[in-house]
Amino acid sequence: MAISEEVQVAVAANFAVPLQKIAADFEKDTGHKAIISSGATGKFYAQIKSGAPFDVLLSADDTTTAKLEGESMTVAGSRFVYAIGKLALWSAKPGVVDDDGRILSTGRFSHLAVANPKTAPYGAAAIETMKNLGVLEKLSPRLVQGENIAQTQQFISTGNAELGFVALSQIQDNGKLANGSVWIVPAGLYSPIRQEAAVLAKGKGKAAVSALMDYLKSDKAKAVIKGFGYDLQG
């Protein structure tokens, strides 16, 4: 029988909950255990460069993984898009966010939460969306910045911000909105959020790492990913 191993996974905050579900199935089906650390992609990049003991990175973009590959910090050829993210404007209260996001122009709110655009790709997508809508300058004084997309969601959940930009996956499960009101931002307003997985140098040659990368491409994992509102490539 194959020896069970642990995989140290750094995962972008938007994908933490889907990965927990996938990891539970992964352990049942393979015996291997995924140890999950979630946070902002940019912060993980800095930690990996400093020698953090992660085997796999599930990034919120495809530029961080490309950069790490260029710096010989990943196993060549291991990168693939595991999910395509969707940006959502969300309020924990029903009736606050309209179906067309017009509230951004009417401005009937005091605080709008966004993730740090320097380290969180969903934060960068939020800024890009507001620029393209022509409202960024007007709304800048009202922005409340989360360190990552999980903290941004927390600001909105607790009412510290009436609304904000989050990943659709954080507020949707099995195709249903958990609570509140939402505008799913049209894809044309921001650059595609192509979320890539890569095996890091420390994960090279580990059976459990290969098993997890294969598992992420399985129909079982894909069903979970789609249930949380992501698109899949191809």
Side-chain angles (χ1 to χ4, degrees):
M1 189 177 151
I3 297 165
S4 298
E5 290 181 349
E6 289 185 347
V7 193
Q8 299 290 337
V9 186
V11 61
N14 74 85
F15 199 72
V17 175
L19 183 61
Q20 282 159 9
K21 282 199 169 190
I22 291 166
D25 291 337
F26 173 66
E27 189 173 356
K28 265 188 230 148
D29 294 346
T30 69
H32 298 307
K33 190 175 175 68
I35 308 297
I36 300 166
S37 302
S38 70
T41 293
K43 290 220 160 173
F44 281 134
Y45 171 76
Q47 288 170 13
I48 291 160
K49 292 280 287 174
S50 301
F54 298 121
D55 298 311
V56 171
L57 172 65
L58 298 188
S59 177
D61 61 9
D62 54 2
T63 51
T64 303
T65 41
K67 219 186 320 182
L68 287 167
E69 186 177 69
E71 291 160 349
S72 303
M73 303 289 287
T74 66
V75 173
S78 67
R79 284 166 53 200
F80 72 94
V81 175
Y82 65 90
I84 296 169
K86 291 181 190 168
L87 185 67
L89 181 67
W90 176 66
S91 172
K93 293 179 180 170
V96 174
V97 176
D98 57 279
D99 291 346
D100 303 308
R102 283 188 306 278
I103 187 166
L104 292 172
S105 305
T106 58
R108 293 193 189 111
F109 56 88
S110 304
H111 298 104
L112 175 70
V114 293
N116 183 347
K118 290 191 176 74
T119 56
Y122 281 85
I127 297 295
E128 192 182 352
T129 295
M130 287 185 281
K131 264 187 197 161
N132 284 331
L133 290 170
V135 295
L136 181 60
E137 206 173 316
K138 186 178 103 175
L139 296 179
S140 284
R142 304 186 204 184
L143 298 184
V144 181
Q145 193 165 281
E147 188 180 306
N148 55 48
I149 204 74
Q151 191 182 51
T152 306
Q153 184 192 13
Q154 211 176 356
F155 287 158
I156 306 161
S157 296
T158 54
N160 287 322
E162 295 99 308
L163 69 163
F165 286 98
V166 295
L168 180 60
S169 57
Q170 293 173 286
I171 54 169
Q172 179 174 302
D173 190 4
N174 289 325
K176 291 193 182 110
L177 178 66
N179 65 324
S181 49
V182 68
W183 174 50
I184 299 170
V185 180
L189 287 172
Y190 57 94
S191 305
I193 302 173
R194 292 160 52 82
Q195 302 196 189
E196 277 197 346
V199 177
L200 302 169
K202 283 185 165 56
K204 189 173 184 179
K206 293 183 183 175
V209 171
S210 300
L212 179 63
M213 295 299 266
D214 287 343
Y215 201 83
L216 283 167
K217 297 172 187 171
S218 70
D219 289 343
K220 205 169 183 180
K222 282 178 177 176
V224 173
I225 293 167
K226 283 171 87 169
F228 277 93
Y230 294 95
D231 281 338
L232 296 168
Q233 185 164 298

